[in-house]
Amino acid sequence: MTDTKNLTQLGSNVEAPQNPEAAVLETVPFSRGDGPPAIVRFTCPEFTSLCPVTGQPDFAHIVIDYAPDTLLVESKSLKLFMTSFRNHGAFHEECTVMIGRRIIAATKPLWLRIGGYWYPRGGIPIDVFWQTGAPPQGAWLPDTGVAPYRGRG
């Protein structure tokens, strides 16, 4: 049975953090076992942050893949963390990489990649991709499934 006694958010009524810095990413133990590492995917198709210049909302489809070592991200804490960006003003690149770095700091995975598929701002979609290195050998890594932006075409 997974040890969850240190979790403070799961199963509790918790308000969304006001900003990403205030958000707490909680973890649970993970036993990798033998064979190739598992790949865990989180998909956030309705991610929202704020433009740091205009304060207008920006929207993205975020896909996070990581190969856990000994810790998993607890999903409710991840949801609260992702929600905290709704009040956060930063460029697309900063938001995307910040999410990846925070997950790495919390879980110390074998590998992580993140794709931020941002909807057009000023007529130009911006996609941001970041990873910690080469994917683990033998791991099954499916395509993200996010189609490139096509507009009305």
Side-chain angles (χ1 to χ4, degrees):
M1 180 106 171
T2 302
D3 181 7
T4 59
K5 67 179 176 276
N6 293 326
L7 297 177
T8 63
Q9 299 171 87
L10 184 63
S12 300
N13 185 8
V14 180
E15 288 191 33
Q18 289 300 305
N19 56 61
E21 292 78 15
V24 176
L25 277 176
E26 295 188 326
T27 61
V28 294
F30 176 69
S31 178
R32 280 189 14 188
D34 295 331
I39 300 295
V40 176
R41 173 170 288 169
F42 291 110
T43 304
C44 185
E46 298 176 349
F47 182 83
T48 306
S49 66
L50 298 176
C51 172
V53 177
T54 66
Q56 294 295 308
D58 287 321
F59 302 95
H61 185 139
I62 305 287
V63 179
I64 304 159
D65 291 321
Y66 76 106
D69 188 13
T70 61
L71 296 171
L72 296 170
V73 175
E74 191 284 308
S75 63
K76 181 176 181 180
S77 72
L78 180 67
K79 291 172 197 173
L80 290 167
F81 171 60
M82 299 297 269
T83 299
S84 73
F85 281 85
R86 290 183 178 171
N87 300 317
H88 181 73
F91 289 115
H92 302 334
E93 298 84 352
E94 292 177 62
C95 288
T96 305
V97 174
M98 177 191 285
I99 293 165
R101 289 182 195 261
R102 283 289 301 275
I103 293 171
I104 289 169
T107 66
K108 299 178 182 33
L110 302 171
W111 173 83
L112 178 139
R113 80 171 176 189
I114 182 168
Y117 301 86
W118 293 83
Y119 293 95
R121 180 197 289 167
I124 300 174
I126 299 173
D127 296 336
V128 181
F129 306 102
W130 187 77
Q131 68 181 28
T132 59
Q137 188 170 359
W140 179 48
L141 196 58
D143 182 78
T144 62
V146 180
Y149 185 78
R150 292 193 50 196
R152 293 184 189 199

